[in-house]
Amino acid sequence: MNRNMQWIFIDDKGSFCLKAPEMSSYLYFPLANEAGMMSSVTPTLNGDAKTGQNSFVLTPVSAEDLHNTKSGRNFWVYVEGKGAWSAVGSSLRQQEGMFGENKEETVLSAGILWHKLNRKSQELGLESEIISFVPTEKEQVELTKITITNRGKSEIRITPTAAVPLYARSADNLRDHRHVTSLLHRIYTTEDGVIVKPTLTFDERGHRPNRITYGVLGRDEDGKGPSGYFPLTEDFIDEGGNLEHPGAIVKNLKPNIMAGEYFEAYEAIGALRFEESVLKPNESKQYILAIAADESGSMFEKLSSKYLTTESFSKYLESSITYWDKKLNLSFQSADGNFDNWMRWVSFQPILRRIYGCSFLPHHDYGRGGRGWRDLWQDSLALLIMDPKGVKEMLYGNYGGVRIDGTNATIIGSGQGEFIADRNNITRVWMDHGAWPFLTTKLYIDQSGDLDFLLEEQTYFKDMQVCRGTKKDEYFTGQYGNYQLQKDDKLYKGTILEHLLVQHLTAFYDVGEHNNIRLNGADWNDGLDMAEKKGESVAFTALYCSNLIKLAELVDKLKEKKGNRSFRVARELGVFFEHCSYDSVTQKREFLENYLKDCKHHISGETIELDSDVLRDNLIQKADWLAKQIRQNEWISNHEQYNWFNGYYDDDGKQVEGDHENGVRMMLTSQVFTIMGGIATKEQIEAVIKSADLYLYDEMVGGYRLNTNFKEVKTNLGRLFGFGYGHKENGAVFSHMTIMYANALYTRGYAKEGFKVLNTLYKHCSDFEKSRIYPGIPEYINEKGRGMYHYLTGSASWLMLTVLTEMFGVKGHLGHLKIEPKLLKEQFNEQDMTTVKTVFTDKRMTILYSNPQALEYGTYKIKEILINDISIEVSLKGDAAVISKEMLQAYKDDEIMIQVILGK
């Protein structure tokens, strides 16, 4: 590893520094708050800022724009007798010197949602420090403090100018009426800056009055506002100039526009000229900028007094650092301090997902904000670990998106539990969608012990799409609303348990000709989207199988713990409990068709009572049948006598994996859920590991690829095969499934192999020269080893879950604390200890593992447990210890220390 091309952690809070960050392309860093300000900044302060799809303060950017566009934040200094200098490095002269002897010294420092750049010019004797963050207040504002220091031997005269182009409209207008929408601009200069309030908005919503004001404000350290302005872009750059060589700067023009002036119909820029200053050697001058959007119309009047002083900047920066630090209540102290710090960023990524959705960072240049169905449930996994308060209400609201046919709404509203009908009537069913809610609900119940949640009643979503996406409800109108009704037009509600049954039973009977669940529009892998007729997903059939077993266990626990001997469900569901030959594809399809026909418009509103034992046994029978059929029919052997599970059938009804004329075909997803769900036997797991190591493992790109190279644009399976191999879903190391593979191995007791998966991925991501990303985990790693689509990935939630519950073995079991470490010897420090801090049952816990005999996993057992230095009696179940919820609640302090002594 080249230490000169490597970020280095500088504390135990995840803060890091990196020299010469501008020498790596495609870097960006998020700055945001929960009020809706979403920014991204690069090592040259490129990037954008916005509050939503239709309200970009700065020009929208995608990854390629980071080095193509000139429209970034800038702060210029004109040095008398020497010319113009950009404090962010974005001038023609500085760019020409990037690869030569006159390259400026630069260092980036950053922590959780704060960003600092230091730049030094030996030629000019100037140094800049630029600190940026978004305060955790109610305003949608990004703050920046610029410090200019004279490092020369003689005094210099400087003329400073902030220059921030104001886009001030919808991202749609980037090439849809870009000029026309600039004609809507109304531009004002105030005592502190430049304000833009367009008269109208032109976007997909139509032509509407605009409510949002955009602007750039600034003051110097003495509280003085700008001495003049260049509010129009064309005047600032001057004829023949551009934003990296603007005439107003290089000619050191005096502004002739003061506060209180007004302009219409031009592209705007927050170009704020400050007073000239004379700096003696080692003397500095500071400037504070605010980039903001305001829907109230009055915020800009208050921003200056609240934020634009050096004291208030420091106050809100410290407040922001403290705020986010408190949010991160999961931390590790292992033998690898870099891993512990790296996991801090991973733990923060789900928070970024809740702020940004799946859009609004440079690689995420798709969608219009918001999250998808899977995101709702997988982001909740992280919440359950870090901030469980309010998660129950969130999960309950999410179940309102389930349709009575087992599918779900695909457009998620901004409010909790808000789902919107697809006005474009695009019919697409992801066959895996019904499986994820159970996984999150099971984690919630294990963490809380709240079995009663399964008995709470919730509505079902309703729109025109019926019969699992195969038909339209011809009787559906806008007057119906988006809630499933009964025949008497009353709102129908079913228990959460019923919702889970609907999702899993409809999937069980929705089979292809090989008796696996149909692929429909795709599964977790969105790229498998071209096999809707005959495609089948064995991989996710295995996940549904696993869920059925665990759902049966919960039914049993409801009877045991709550006395529920029967459950009421919709009468229509009764068909799924009638005698059916599971071997018969035809009969299963008939059962499903009968159910879907009965539920096409209204449902009856009538219910039946299911005996709990009958329900449990029925679910187990279905799961056992699925497991047997996968083991028997989908276990394959190739010409080299390697074995693994086939996971898919294409649209010609042919098995996808195994030997092929183009080479061996193997997919990682196919192995994950067969292992995780208990379908794979011990012998099969070990065979899969050997096959995956041979065909999928590539240390140069971070570990286990999603698939081998099919060497074919396989249009009878999915669009992913149109991608170049090693990119995105076609054979990249896709973090989400890689981590789920590790999770599956840990779950089945293969800790050494699971650690290899995670450690290879971590080592690659933290080797900056290879991955070219800041700390954290990307969506995937491409063929060159670069981390792609950083920050906004559901894999972060799964990595947190895996490290905490499997590697460190801290998990819930029906509300009780279960401790079952799977730590390798090398993960203990020099004192043979390792620690995790987390939250469980509303208590902050420090769990310290002590391995005094330096034993390897598989040879140690839990010998003793102490709480607050006092030994306790615990229930041992195999290699796990269970501490009851009642025992934990008996400790009145909010924080407790649990010491786990390991030995033979």
Side-chain angles (χ1 to χ4, degrees):
M1 187 183 294
N2 183 352
R3 305 305 297 179
N4 293 321
M5 185 61 73
Q6 176 63 36
W7 44 254
I8 299 170
F9 288 116
I10 55 178
D11 59 21
D12 62 356
K13 302 289 187 182
S15 305
F16 65 95
C17 66
L18 173 66
K19 293 181 179 179
E22 73 282 0
M23 299 306 292
S24 293
S25 302
Y26 300 102
L27 285 176
Y28 53 84
F29 188 86
L31 297 174
N33 65 11
E34 292 168 320
M37 188 64 171
M38 299 174 285
S39 298
S40 61
V41 292
T42 72
T44 56
L45 290 198
N46 207 325
D48 59 27
K50 71 298 246 174
T51 63
Q53 173 71 11
N54 298 309
S55 49
F56 274 73
V57 188
L58 309 184
T59 307
V61 296
S62 58
E64 291 301 322
D65 297 314
L66 298 180
H67 50 256
N68 285 340
T69 185
K70 300 175 181 179
S71 186
R73 310 165 184 82
N74 212 329
F75 193 89
W76 292 92
V77 177
Y78 186 87
V79 183
E80 187 177 78
K82 295 184 179 180
W85 182 71
S86 167
V88 305
S90 292
S91 73
L92 290 180
R93 181 169 67 176
Q94 288 162 290
Q95 290 184 25
E96 287 173 358
M98 278 182 66
F99 300 99
E101 295 179 358
N102 292 325
K103 183 189 178 323
E104 297 175 341
E105 297 175 23
T106 56
V107 178
L108 170 129
S109 304
I112 303 297
L113 294 191
W114 62 267
H115 185 270
K116 181 172 75 172
L117 290 165
N118 289 86
R119 175 176 292 273
K120 187 174 182 180
S121 169
Q122 296 288 356
E123 180 185 5
L124 298 178
L126 271 182
E127 183 176 297
S128 66
E129 178 186 86
I130 303 175
I131 303 173
S132 303
F133 76 104
V134 172
T136 53
E137 299 288 301
K138 63 181 180 180
E139 297 91 0
Q140 296 169 329
V141 58
E142 173 190 317
L143 299 180
T144 302
K145 182 175 74 173
I146 303 98
T147 303
I148 304 297
T149 304
N150 177 10
R151 294 301 184 194
K153 296 181 179 179
S154 57
E155 67 178 29
I156 56 174
R157 181 179 295 275
I158 65 168
T159 304
T161 308
V164 182
L166 285 163
Y167 176 75
R169 50 199 186 267
S170 171
D172 295 345
N173 301 133
L174 197 58
R175 71 167 305 277
D176 183 6
H177 294 93
R178 171 75 191 254
H179 173 256
V180 169
T181 50
S182 72
L183 305 181
L184 305 172
H185 284 182
R186 301 297 183 262
I187 305 165
Y188 307 83
T189 55
T190 70
E191 291 296 325
D192 292 314
V194 175
I195 305 297
V196 180
K197 185 172 184 181
T199 54
L200 301 170
T201 61
F202 287 9
D203 51 52
E204 66 163 12
R205 301 169 298 174
H207 300 168
R208 298 182 177 186
N210 169 61
R211 303 187 308 274
I212 301 176
T213 305
Y214 309 86
V216 177
L217 307 176
R219 287 181 181 177
D220 67 16
E221 61 187 20
D222 300 317
K224 295 179 182 178
S227 60
Y229 304 89
F230 300 95
L232 308 184
T233 302
E234 61 184 57
D235 292 342
F236 176 69
I237 64 174
D238 202 16
E239 296 295 336
N242 59 55
L243 289 170
E244 292 176 348
H245 195 70
I249 301 299
V250 297
K251 298 177 184 178
N252 199 26
L253 301 177
K254 288 188 177 181
N256 56 14
I257 296 169
M258 303 295 125
E261 301 196 38
Y262 168 77
F263 304 88
E264 297 182 353
Y266 292 95
E267 292 285 358
I269 184 169
L272 320 181
R273 170 64 58 80
F274 293 95
E275 284 186 352
E276 289 184 356
S277 294
V278 175
L279 295 181
K280 296 177 182 178
N282 294 317
E283 188 177 6
S284 300
K285 186 80 174 180
Q286 294 184 329
Y287 306 88
I288 314 291
L289 301 180
I291 301 170
D294 173 31
E295 196 166 333
S296 71
S298 60
M299 186 183 77
F300 278 95
E301 300 172 9
K302 305 171 184 176
L303 284 180
S304 295
S305 58
K306 183 173 181 178
Y307 293 118
L308 298 187
T309 67
T310 55
E311 293 81 6
S312 60
F313 184 92
S314 298
K315 169 188 169 183
Y316 287 109
L317 174 59
E318 186 61 35
S319 174
S320 174
I321 291 171
T322 302
Y323 178 84
W324 295 119
D325 183 57
K326 288 182 178 179
K327 286 275 187 180
L328 294 176
N329 51 26
L330 175 68
S331 63
F332 305 93
Q333 289 178 308
S334 68
D336 187 347
N338 280 340
F339 174 78
D340 304 334
N341 260 318
W342 183 75
M343 280 300 300
R344 240 182 126 65
W345 281 99
V346 171
S347 300
F348 191 67
Q349 288 180 230
I351 295 175
L352 291 175
R353 274 252 291 209
R354 291 198 297 278
I355 295 172
Y356 286 87
C358 295
S359 307
F360 300 139
L361 282 179
H363 269 124
H364 301 78
D365 54 356
Y366 52 85
R368 312 180 70 81
R371 292 177 289 165
W373 179 255
R374 281 185 220 104
D375 307 326
L376 294 180
W377 301 97
Q378 296 193 93
D379 291 352
S380 295
L381 296 174
L383 269 180
L384 283 166
I385 293 170
M386 293 200 303
D387 188 15
K389 293 178 181 178
V391 175
K392 177 180 179 178
E393 291 73 20
M394 187 181 300
L395 298 183
Y396 175 81
N398 291 349
Y399 273 106
V402 178
R403 293 190 185 95
I404 199 68
D405 67 358
T407 63
N408 54 269
T410 54
I411 300 180
I412 316 300
S414 56
Q416 185 167 296
E418 179 186 1
F419 300 94
I420 302 168
D422 187 349
R423 58 186 173 275
N424 297 318
N425 292 322
I426 298 173
T427 301
R428 188 175 179 190
V429 172
W430 284 263
M431 63 80 63
D432 66 304
H433 276 190
W436 300 107
F438 177 78
L439 294 180
T440 305
T441 302
K442 178 67 164 58
L443 178 64
Y444 164 71
I445 292 171
D446 275 336
Q447 295 285 97
S448 66
D450 184 13
L451 284 164
D452 288 330
F453 178 68
L454 293 170
L455 304 179
E456 294 195 19
E457 292 190 341
Q458 173 62 297
T459 56
Y460 287 88
F461 181 73
K462 174 67 179 175
D463 60 2
M464 187 178 289
Q465 185 170 309
V466 293
C467 298
R468 296 181 67 77
T470 62
K471 296 179 182 179
K472 305 288 185 185
D473 182 355
E474 62 269 28
Y475 299 109
F476 181 81
T477 64
Q479 287 72 38
Y480 190 104
N482 289 126
Y483 299 99
Q484 179 67 54
L485 302 180
Q486 305 173 170
K487 286 185 177 177
D488 60 5
D489 289 330
K490 290 182 179 178
L491 202 64
Y492 178 76
K493 288 186 176 183
T495 62
I496 299 301
L497 175 60
E498 184 190 89
H499 283 66
L500 290 166
L501 290 172
V502 166
Q503 289 178 308
H504 286 77
L505 294 176
T506 53
F508 179 83
Y509 287 87
D510 189 5
V511 295
E513 61 187 41
H514 299 279
N515 221 334
N516 300 293
I517 300 173
R518 292 177 56 240
L519 185 56
N520 285 299
D523 62 11
W524 165 87
N525 190 333
D526 285 344
L528 298 174
D529 59 348
M530 300 174 74
E532 196 162 3
K533 294 178 180 178
K534 291 188 175 183
E536 299 173 45
S537 175
V538 183
F540 279 89
T541 298
L543 179 55
Y544 279 102
C545 171
S546 171
N547 284 359
L548 286 169
I549 288 286
K550 294 171 184 173
L551 186 55
E553 292 171 355
L554 289 180
V555 168
D556 223 22
K557 289 298 178 183
L558 280 168
K559 178 183 177 182
E560 175 190 336
K561 303 286 187 182
K562 302 293 180 180
N564 295 98
R565 296 185 176 277
S566 63
F567 304 95
R568 301 203 70 85
V569 299
R571 174 183 60 76
E572 288 80 357
L573 278 173
V575 67
F576 295 137
F577 297 94
E578 295 175 6
H579 175 73
C580 174
S581 172
Y582 297 154
D583 291 330
S584 172
V585 169
T586 301
Q587 193 173 6
K588 286 168 84 171
R589 288 175 173 175
E590 287 175 356
F591 275 46
L592 179 63
E593 285 300 315
N594 289 337
Y595 172 79
L596 296 177
K597 181 180 178 182
D598 285 347
C599 299
K600 189 175 179 182
H601 185 57
H602 285 342
I603 65 170
S604 67
E606 300 170 13
T607 60
I608 58 174
E609 199 156 324
L610 290 176
D611 179 83
S612 63
D613 291 343
V614 171
L615 174 56
R616 176 203 61 206
D617 291 346
N618 187 275
L619 296 177
I620 291 173
Q621 288 165 10
K622 287 179 166 64
D624 286 347
W625 183 90
L626 286 173
K628 181 180 178 181
Q629 105 102 14
I630 292 173
R631 287 191 197 106
Q632 289 182 349
N633 299 332
E634 307 303 337
W635 183 246
I636 58 177
S637 178
N638 77 338
H639 70 285
E640 296 180 293
Q641 299 304 306
Y642 280 84
N643 302 89
W644 63 93
F645 286 98
N646 170 63
Y648 293 94
Y649 287 85
D650 62 25
D651 221 27
D652 293 323
K654 294 181 179 179
Q655 204 171 57
V656 169
E657 299 183 56
D659 284 333
H660 189 273
E661 61 184 17
N662 290 341
V664 172
R665 293 182 170 181
M666 182 180 183
M667 305 178 82
L668 184 63
T669 312
S670 315
Q671 320 316 315
V672 167
F673 297 109
T674 47
I675 296 173
M676 184 185 291
I679 293 171
T681 64
K682 182 177 184 294
E683 293 74 22
Q684 288 175 324
I685 294 172
E686 292 170 1
V688 164
I689 291 169
K690 290 180 181 178
S691 300
D693 283 348
L694 177 64
Y695 296 122
L696 298 177
Y697 184 73
D698 186 345
E699 188 176 2
M700 297 303 296
V701 291
Y704 292 85
R705 293 179 180 271
L706 201 52
N707 55 271
T708 55
N709 191 349
F710 281 32
K711 300 176 183 177
E712 175 188 1
V713 180
K714 195 169 172 56
T715 55
N716 61 353
L717 185 54
R719 71 172 189 265
L720 73 85
F721 297 103
F723 301 151
Y725 183 68
H727 297 269
K728 226 170 189 309
E729 290 98 340
N730 187 15
V733 171
F734 215 88
S735 298
H736 197 163
M737 198 50 61
T738 299
I739 292 161
M740 294 194 80
Y741 179 48
N743 184 285
L745 292 171
Y746 271 110
T747 300
R748 299 296 298 277
Y750 289 83
K752 181 179 179 181
E753 293 78 5
F755 179 78
K756 175 185 174 181
V757 177
L758 296 186
N759 195 51
T760 307
L761 184 61
Y762 150 66
K763 290 291 188 183
H764 184 92
C765 291
S766 59
D767 186 341
F768 181 76
E769 193 169 8
K770 292 179 180 177
S771 68
R772 301 288 172 154
I773 56 172
Y774 297 137
I777 190 164
E779 180 185 87
Y780 72 95
I781 298 165
N782 73 11
E783 190 67 359
K784 286 187 174 182
R786 185 186 293 273
M788 304 293 290
Y789 293 73
H790 198 10
Y791 298 114
L792 308 182
T793 165
S795 59
S797 293
W798 272 95
L799 183 51
M800 289 171 60
L801 186 71
T802 301
V803 172
L804 176 64
T805 65
E806 295 299 332
M807 181 186 288
F808 279 78
V810 179
K811 63 185 77 174
H813 178 66
L814 296 178
H816 309 303
L817 178 62
K818 184 177 180 181
I819 298 177
E820 187 180 8
K822 297 171 185 172
L823 293 157
L824 303 188
K825 177 182 174 181
E826 66 185 83
Q827 294 179 267
F828 293 87
N829 63 21
E830 293 178 354
Q831 289 76 42
D832 296 315
M833 293 187 291
T834 189
T835 303
V836 56
K837 293 183 179 181
T838 188
V839 174
F840 189 82
T841 60
D842 296 329
K843 292 186 183 295
R844 293 190 295 275
M845 296 186 178
T846 299
I847 298 161
L848 171 67
Y849 290 106
S850 179
N851 184 12
Q853 296 172 271
L855 299 173
E856 186 55 271
Y857 170 73
T859 64
Y860 61 68
K861 294 182 179 179
I862 295 174
K863 302 296 290 183
E864 184 183 10
I865 292 182
L866 298 87
I867 297 184
N868 294 345
D869 296 324
I870 298 174
S871 182
I872 63 167
E873 290 187 12
V874 294
S875 170
L876 291 175
K877 296 182 179 180
D879 293 332
V882 178
I883 304 175
S884 72
K885 184 176 184 178
E886 293 74 23
M887 179 179 287
L888 292 172
Q889 290 176 337
Y891 292 88
K892 302 304 180 184
D893 294 340
D894 291 335
E895 297 186 34
I896 61 175
M897 162 71 81
I898 300 176
Q899 186 175 358
V900 182
I901 310 296
L902 305 175
K904 287 188 176 180

